[in-house]
Amino acid sequence: MSELKVAGKDLSRIDAPDKAAGTARFAADVPPPARGLIGLVLRSPHPHAKVISVDSRAAEKIPGVRVVLTRENGPKRRFGGGIKDQSWFAADGFVRFVGEPVAAVAAESYDAAQAAVEAIRVKYEVLEPVVSAYDSRDGKAPLVHEDWRELTLGPGGEGNVIARFETKMGDADSGFAEADRIFEHTFVTPRTHAAYIEPHACTAEAGADGKVTVWTSTQDAWSIRAGIADALGYPDNKICVIPTEIGGGFGAKLQSLIEHIAALLSLRCGESVRIEMTREEDHNASSPRHPHFITIRTGVKNGGDIVAREIDVTMDHGAYGRGAPFQCQSKMIMGSCNYRIPNVRVRACTVYTNAPISGPVRAPSGPQYHFATEVQMDIIAREMGFGPLEFRRQNGLRPGDRTLAPPEENPSMLSVLNRVAEESGWGGEIPSGEALEADGWKLGRGIACGYWPGPGESASCSLRLNDDGSIQIVAGTVNLTGMSTALCQLTAEEFGIELDEVRYSTGDTDSAPQSTAASGSKATRSVAQAILSAAEDFREKIFSVASSKLEADPTDLVLEEGKVSVASAPERFLTLAQVAAAAPGVQGFVVGSGETAKPPPCPIHTAQVAEVAVHPDLGEVRVLRLLCVQDVGFAINPTSVVGQIEGAMIQGLGLALMEELPSAENGNIQGESLHEYLVPTSLDMPEIGVVLIDNPAEGTPLGMRGVGEPPIVATAAAVVNAINDAVGAPLFSIPVGPHHVRAAMAESGAATASV
């Protein structure tokens, strides 16, 4: 790749100046028309209740209020994707989580809208909430949906169970019979918020023809359009979604939360309506990460070979089932993806509880599965007398090994594992902790491996030659995580021009070619493939124009450094600007179109080491260093790639030590905003190191692999393994607080006399 001039270089993001200067327009910055209205939503204060009555008469009389929507005058249709278990404003008579919409208002001012919301009187009959996913799974809890028989649940769905799945490889029962030792542990991970900076916000405007235009902060305009259409019962062509700049999403801005409500309000009052969720609303009613309850049995031979594994997974999906079967089934492969285990069986189910609807958050289910599997790997290694690194090396994935995941010709699991051990000085001292150790802190080092399947999706785009010879990319994939810069680098490389001669535009669902969501660590790879497809069409049209003007055979033309030359007579050439000027008179404007079918998965392996200091009396944990080695295939912009990995590790640190949305016994989510929800700050930052391994993937542009999600999957496990190494006390749930450390030490006999 040394011959590349733009791709693979550390170049500044093209969207950085606007964001740094504050001129980038986010959803809340979209200026409403002169008569724009403010929309607010009245939300349920109860996790489970029957709605006896809703009285909106006083609200409707408040000056400035244009419309009040309740179950009485709202749509009567059901929606929710494949499982249509949601209704407008509790029209089916029940609310099922704190924050569920009960009414919505549109008014000329925020004060009028707020007064209207406060004037609506709702009478509830409070019901017992379903809090325990285990009780929900085992039929020991009240039904969240009494009408579940009328719903199209997933395979095995019944009662509070939305779907059940089983997948296997080999014969797990025979494998356990062959094992010398069998280990069984249960691990628990919490519900967590995506903790993006920008709360959900949107503006909807209904036209005279009934078509609704929605400006919104989203990772996928197409999913938002589908969600609005589903809720309203509209065809797609009656809805146009315009994605704005996005202030963070991490997967939690893929589905319609307020967009369909804003659209309905606008349709009813004939004016534009803006809804901005408060931080408190967003905290309680947006899509959190799924809680997981994972029991693992692993059979091992005395020599250290793993011969069998059985995993039982229960996912808490919350009050409604949108996306639940896919989220559950698609992640089961992570029960066997890093190691050579000949006999594997994974059972998984996803269940209803009276909690906010869980959804995809950065590497959905990845940190949960890897926390369980990687922490158990350490426990087994220590109990059998192996080192954690040695045990992983012995069982690490090699060419030809089968797993539940798609086969890999040359898995890089051992490469990243060995490199992270080398870079971290595994087995040596932890120099950054010398002073802490002198003060009585215990030092520990932990290791964990991670895997992400590297999915791809179908994508399409167009390339347009501008009058000045620059190139405009138009694709329906939202720019996130520096994707637009990477795609412009690829295009610039393809046509021999500079980065500032290429720009990327997302467009809207009416004008942009339909494309994949900015999620799943798949967007750059998928759209890049579409760009290469479009480049063939684009180049052919450029050569058609140039051959006419240069009176040369198209096969004798070359495109380099922004100009088309005759190979046999290099002094004869046209710049791209000259081609653009000549095109209308030859064949019309130069626009290339391209698309790609859904590509096969492109697996990604990562390995991480965490170094910690633990105060044995206080239980306090300080993370001193995090180091990640990741197979990125090819880093099209190394600075951006490293930034993605660093950010993911920081989020993984939060999952390990502080982040959770705990449910109280009454079903309420504890805490109301990011003030109570702890996330890592600058004071929590350890030394962070990232090493990129270029192991080009087959069949992808420049061999690139996905980047954004793999590094979060291993961090929590590495941190918890480091804590275990420091104090000799395994932990089975996250986040790990001081009281958990002290309790684990006391139970394992590792506590100091003062504990």
Side-chain angles (χ1 to χ4, degrees):
M1 297 293 185
S2 58
E3 70 278 7
L4 299 178
K5 297 179 180 179
V6 183
K9 308 304 179 184
D10 293 307
L11 301 175
S12 298
R13 285 175 53 163
I14 59 177
D15 56 341
D18 272 348
K19 290 179 177 176
T23 54
R25 290 172 61 183
F26 295 85
D29 299 322
V30 175
R35 300 177 63 192
L37 304 178
I38 300 298
L40 289 181
V41 178
L42 176 65
R43 299 180 180 276
S44 167
H46 306 294
H48 198 192
K50 185 175 182 179
V51 180
I52 305 301
S53 63
V54 183
D55 186 350
S56 62
R57 289 173 295 179
E60 293 163 1
K61 296 176 182 177
I62 293 173
V65 173
R66 294 296 184 84
V67 64
V68 180
L69 297 177
T70 69
R71 66 181 185 177
E72 303 302 326
N73 60 348
K76 300 301 184 281
R77 61 180 289 106
R78 303 290 289 269
F79 60 98
I83 302 177
K84 298 192 183 302
D85 51 7
Q86 292 180 257
S87 64
W88 283 90
F89 309 122
D92 67 346
F94 296 89
V95 289
R96 296 181 173 88
F97 67 93
V98 173
E100 181 167 0
V102 178
V105 304
E108 296 173 0
S109 68
Y110 179 86
D111 289 342
Q114 183 63 40
V117 165
E118 293 173 356
I120 299 171
R121 295 291 175 257
V122 184
K123 185 177 181 180
Y124 297 98
E125 177 188 335
V126 178
L127 303 174
E128 179 186 353
V130 179
V131 178
S132 167
Y134 280 139
D135 288 348
S136 190
R137 179 196 66 185
D138 297 339
K140 298 178 180 179
L143 290 170
V144 176
H145 293 270
E146 295 184 354
D147 61 347
W148 65 267
R149 290 180 177 84
E150 301 173 22
L151 304 176
T152 307
L153 299 178
E158 182 179 15
N160 283 340
V161 176
I162 305 171
R164 294 182 186 271
F165 301 96
E166 179 175 332
T167 186
K168 58 187 177 181
M169 180 182 69
D171 186 332
D173 294 334
S174 297
F176 282 115
E178 178 189 348
D180 296 311
R181 300 275 306 271
I182 296 176
F183 299 84
E184 182 172 335
H185 304 93
T186 296
F187 300 87
V188 178
T189 66
R191 178 178 294 105
T192 62
H193 194 279
Y196 34 76
I197 295 175
E198 176 201 30
H200 287 262
C202 72
T203 297
E205 183 178 19
D209 60 353
K211 182 167 183 172
V212 183
T213 301
V214 178
W215 293 261
T216 187
S217 172
T218 181
Q219 295 172 242
D220 186 15
W222 310 96
S223 289
I224 298 297
R225 184 179 72 168
I228 298 172
D230 180 31
L232 293 177
Y234 270 35
D236 287 349
N237 66 1
K238 297 287 284 185
I239 299 158
C240 176
V241 176
I242 304 175
T244 64
E245 290 282 3
I246 180 170
F250 307 113
K253 289 184 178 176
L254 289 166
Q255 304 291 341
S256 175
L257 289 183
I258 54 175
E259 289 85 355
H260 58 289
I261 298 175
L264 180 62
L265 287 170
S266 182
L267 284 165
R268 291 295 177 88
C269 63
E271 300 178 48
S272 70
V273 177
R274 174 184 293 178
I275 298 179
E276 298 177 40
M277 293 180 78
T278 65
R279 179 57 71 181
E280 289 74 18
E281 282 183 293
D282 195 287
H283 192 70
N284 285 281
S286 62
S287 303
R289 187 185 291 276
H290 295 81
H292 279 53
F293 305 84
I294 303 176
T295 297
I296 309 181
R297 292 178 67 226
T298 300
V300 188
K301 299 287 286 183
N302 285 333
D305 286 346
I306 301 175
V307 292
R309 172 177 284 174
E310 183 176 59
I311 303 181
D312 188 275
V313 181
T314 300
M315 293 175 63
D316 180 346
H317 196 75
Y320 296 99
R322 181 184 65 201
F326 172 78
Q327 288 295 327
C328 182
Q329 184 183 34
S330 63
K331 304 307 183 295
M332 294 168 69
I333 62 172
M334 287 188 287
S336 164
C337 51
N338 284 319
Y339 303 104
R340 184 178 62 257
I341 308 175
N343 306 292
V344 179
R345 180 167 55 226
V346 180
R347 297 187 179 97
C349 71
T350 176
V351 301
Y352 287 121
T353 63
N354 290 116
I357 311 169
S358 292
V361 178
R362 195 171 197 165
S365 293
Q368 297 97 313
Y369 269 90
H370 283 81
F371 167 67
T373 57
E374 289 297 303
V375 169
Q376 194 195 46
M377 286 291 289
D378 261 38
I379 294 171
I380 294 172
R382 295 178 191 281
E383 290 198 20
M384 295 192 68
F386 295 99
L389 175 62
E390 174 191 3
F391 189 54
R392 286 174 170 81
R393 280 175 171 161
Q394 179 167 337
N395 291 283
L397 203 60
R398 291 169 171 80
D401 289 340
R402 291 179 58 225
T403 71
L404 294 176
E408 300 180 60
E409 279 191 23
N410 185 29
S412 57
M413 182 269 181
L414 286 174
S415 296
V416 296
L417 176 67
N418 291 330
R419 183 67 181 274
V420 83
E422 175 188 346
E423 295 287 338
S424 66
W426 186 269
E429 299 296 325
I430 302 178
S432 57
E434 291 178 352
L436 289 169
E437 192 172 27
D439 288 337
W441 293 70
K442 292 183 177 292
L443 305 181
R445 183 183 276 131
I447 195 167
C449 295
Y451 170 91
W452 190 247
E457 290 293 343
S458 179
S460 62
C461 72
S462 65
L463 302 178
R464 186 185 72 237
L465 185 62
N466 295 321
D467 290 347
D468 62 356
S470 63
I471 298 173
Q472 185 71 42
I473 309 168
V474 182
T477 299
V478 172
N479 172 39
L480 197 66
T481 70
M483 182 198 72
S484 62
T485 303
L487 295 176
C488 288
Q489 286 182 258
L490 174 72
T491 305
E493 189 70 49
E494 184 71 11
F495 291 99
I497 56 181
E498 299 297 325
L499 178 61
D500 61 6
E501 296 176 89
V502 186
R503 281 299 176 264
Y504 180 89
S505 173
T506 300
D508 57 57
T509 56
D510 274 2
S511 61
Q514 187 162 351
S515 198
T516 182
S519 65
S521 299
K522 63 179 183 286
T524 303
R525 170 183 170 228
S526 299
V527 180
Q529 193 68 56
I531 286 175
L532 294 184
S533 173
E536 295 181 13
D537 182 32
F538 194 59
R539 181 179 284 103
E540 181 179 331
K541 291 176 178 177
I542 289 173
F543 282 3
S544 174
V545 174
S547 65
S548 173
K549 290 298 182 181
L550 295 172
E551 298 180 346
D553 191 304
T555 60
D556 193 26
L557 298 178
V558 292
L559 174 54
E560 294 177 338
E561 297 182 357
K563 61 184 180 181
V564 183
S565 305
V566 180
S568 58
E571 70 279 2
R572 296 167 54 202
F573 66 86
L574 292 176
T575 65
L576 286 179
Q578 289 172 322
V579 171
V586 176
Q587 64 168 35
F589 298 106
V590 178
V591 179
S593 298
E595 59 284 319
T596 178
K598 182 176 181 178
C602 181
I604 307 137
H605 288 277
T606 182
Q608 293 182 25
V609 166
E611 294 171 355
V612 305
V614 182
H615 196 291
D617 295 333
L618 301 176
E620 181 183 348
V621 177
R622 295 184 186 177
V623 179
L624 307 177
R625 181 166 72 142
L626 288 175
L627 178 64
C628 176
V629 174
Q630 183 163 315
D631 176 5
V632 299
F634 170 75
I636 196 165
N637 188 314
T639 296
S640 183
V641 168
V642 169
Q644 276 291 294
I645 293 173
E646 290 176 340
M649 285 196 291
I650 291 169
Q651 286 185 305
L653 171 62
L655 296 178
L657 298 180
M658 59 192 74
E659 293 191 42
E660 66 175 327
L661 288 170
S663 294
E665 290 185 5
N666 64 3
N668 290 336
I669 298 296
Q670 297 178 353
E672 294 184 350
S673 72
L674 289 180
H675 180 68
E676 294 88 3
Y677 183 86
L678 301 180
V679 295
T681 70
S682 59
L683 298 178
D684 301 300
M685 288 301 100
E687 176 188 341
I688 296 179
V690 175
V691 177
L692 307 181
I693 289 183
D694 282 348
N695 174 36
E698 294 291 332
T700 72
L702 299 177
M704 67 174 69
R705 301 178 190 268
V707 172
E709 291 174 294
I712 196 176
V713 303
T715 310
V719 170
V720 171
N721 285 339
I723 296 171
N724 185 3
D725 182 52
V727 299
L731 294 124
F732 300 96
S733 65
I734 51 176
V736 176
H739 56 299
H740 299 117
V741 174
R742 288 166 57 88
M745 291 174 64
E747 185 174 343
S748 67
T752 61
S754 60
V755 174

